[in-house]
Amino acid sequence: MSTATDTARVAPAGNPVSQSVRDSMVVAQRNLIRMSRIPEMIIYGLIQPIMFVVLFTYVFGGSMQIGGSTSAVDYKNFLMAGIFAQTVTFATASSGAGIADDMHKGLIDRFRSLPMARGAVLTGRTFADLVQTALTLVVLAVVALLVGWRVGSDAPTNAGKVLGAFGLLLLLGYAFTWIGALIGMSVRTPEAATSSGLIWLFPVTFISNAFVDTSHMTPWLRHIADWNPFSATVQACRKLFGNPGVSPSEAWPMQHPVWASLIYSILIIVVFRTLSVRKYRSATA
């Protein structure tokens, strides 16, 4: 019988909720320290979204039609909510790869042998990834300002709405991180986690309102894009940022994007956290 199996029956002592919070923070701290010692993880994570900002702004900027205008400035302000949302969701792949790497090296088995709350390992990991995503968003927002993105370019806004938009982005990123956690627990290698973590992200992010006005799509494709959880957050951010691109739509998520974004993200967290923790409990050494 393996060590993990022998000790898996050791139950955490004390109040289960406080024990879970304490253990999650310890695991999160461990992952944040590890990230700080490997700065290239953060640097390379920033390069891709910055490249998207530059390429879409300067290559496609003058050829995209937003609200009947082909102004490069309008497209720049339209684009940034989509780039922000894409950046927080693409962090899913690194989360899955990190968990798969911990599984591959036996670190998860070591955690399972300790009297820890069962969900603490995954919660701590996803929280650490959320901190990294927040840092990435800060840097990306600065780059966006440097290339000319401005809040309130199409409608009045304020600091509270702008912070609310970034809060919705972080909530979406945290929700998608739990999808990455389930993928990381379900594959055998970090390479497989990275590949499987990106395959489904491309249709989710591109069949949406992130980069183009969905009114130019065929009806059936626009219907998918309008009900895409990713589109709801992008639409909500454009509305809160006061940027152009909030085009009329009969789909409920597009008419109430803030509420739709909250409901979608919370639903994804509940479903995929439950599945991930269940997978963690049943994982074998």
Side-chain angles (χ1 to χ4, degrees), residues 108-216:
I108 296 292
D109 288 335
R110 175 57 181 159
F111 282 137
R112 281 163 51 85
S113 72
L114 299 175
M116 298 174 61
R118 286 306 183 205
V121 173
L122 298 179
T123 302
R125 172 74 204 199
T126 55
F127 183 76
D129 289 338
L130 179 65
V131 173
Q132 183 180 0
T133 300
L135 294 174
T136 303
L137 267 184
V138 170
V139 176
L140 192 59
V142 172
V143 173
L145 291 170
L146 290 176
V147 300
W149 171 64
R150 295 293 181 268
V151 297
S153 60
D154 188 64
T157 187
N158 55 51
K161 289 182 179 179
V162 173
L163 291 176
F166 281 111
L168 290 178
L169 288 166
L170 289 176
L171 184 63
L172 178 72
Y174 187 67
F176 273 52
T177 298
W178 279 107
I179 300 177
L182 181 61
I183 293 173
M185 294 292 301
S186 305
V187 299
R188 295 182 180 179
T189 65
E191 292 81 6
T194 301
S195 300
S196 56
L198 288 175
I199 289 173
W200 62 275
L201 275 172
F202 278 102
V204 167
T205 55
F206 281 90
I207 304 178
S208 72
N209 59 359
F211 306 108
V212 297
D213 186 347
T214 58
S215 63
H216 300 301

Side-chain angles (χ1 to χ4, degrees), residues 3-18:
T3 303
T5 308
D6 287 339
T7 54
R9 300 188 182 92
V10 179
N15 182 282
V17 176
S18 61

Side-chain angles (χ1 to χ4, degrees), residues 240-264:
L240 295 173
F241 285 147
N243 286 153
V246 187
S247 55
S249 171
E250 295 181 357
W252 185 84
M254 296 297 100
Q255 294 178 350
H256 308 278
V258 174
W259 282 110
S261 176
L262 287 171
I263 292 171
Y264 274 139

Side-chain angles (χ1 to χ4, degrees), residues 16-197:
V17 176
S18 61
Q19 176 79 28
S20 179
V21 172
R22 185 166 57 249
D23 292 345
S24 298
M25 292 301 102
V26 170
V27 176
Q29 184 181 18
R30 172 256 175 193
N31 283 289
L32 288 172
I33 292 173
R34 180 171 178 267
M35 289 177 187
S36 68
R37 291 175 178 171
I38 313 176
E40 56 266 32
M41 290 175 60
I42 299 176
I43 294 172
Y44 286 121
L46 281 169
I47 290 176
Q48 179 178 306
I50 291 175
M51 286 178 61
F52 270 104
V53 171
V54 175
L55 288 174
F56 275 86
T57 299
Y58 295 106
V59 177
F60 302 107
S63 58
M64 294 291 188
Q65 189 177 75
I66 302 299
S69 169
T70 55
S71 165
V73 175
D74 286 347
Y75 184 68
K76 191 183 303 177
N77 290 318
F78 166 87
L79 172 69
M80 285 316 305
I83 294 290
F84 288 145
Q86 185 197 45
T87 300
V88 301
T89 53
F90 268 47
T92 302
S94 63
S95 300
I99 291 174
D101 187 47
D102 287 344
M103 287 280 290
H104 185 67
K105 293 178 178 176
L107 186 62
I108 296 292
D109 288 335
R110 175 57 181 159
F111 282 137
R112 281 163 51 85
S113 72
L114 299 175
M116 298 174 61
R118 286 306 183 205
V121 173
L122 298 179
T123 302
R125 172 74 204 199
T126 55
F127 183 76
D129 289 338
L130 179 65
V131 173
Q132 183 180 0
T133 300
L135 294 174
T136 303
L137 267 184
V138 170
V139 176
L140 192 59
V142 172
V143 173
L145 291 170
L146 290 176
V147 300
W149 171 64
R150 295 293 181 268
V151 297
S153 60
D154 188 64
T157 187
N158 55 51
K161 289 182 179 179
V162 173
L163 291 176
F166 281 111
L168 290 178
L169 288 166
L170 289 176
L171 184 63
L172 178 72
Y174 187 67
F176 273 52
T177 298
W178 279 107
I179 300 177
L182 181 61
I183 293 173
M185 294 292 301
S186 305
V187 299
R188 295 182 180 179
T189 65
E191 292 81 6
T194 301
S195 300
S196 56

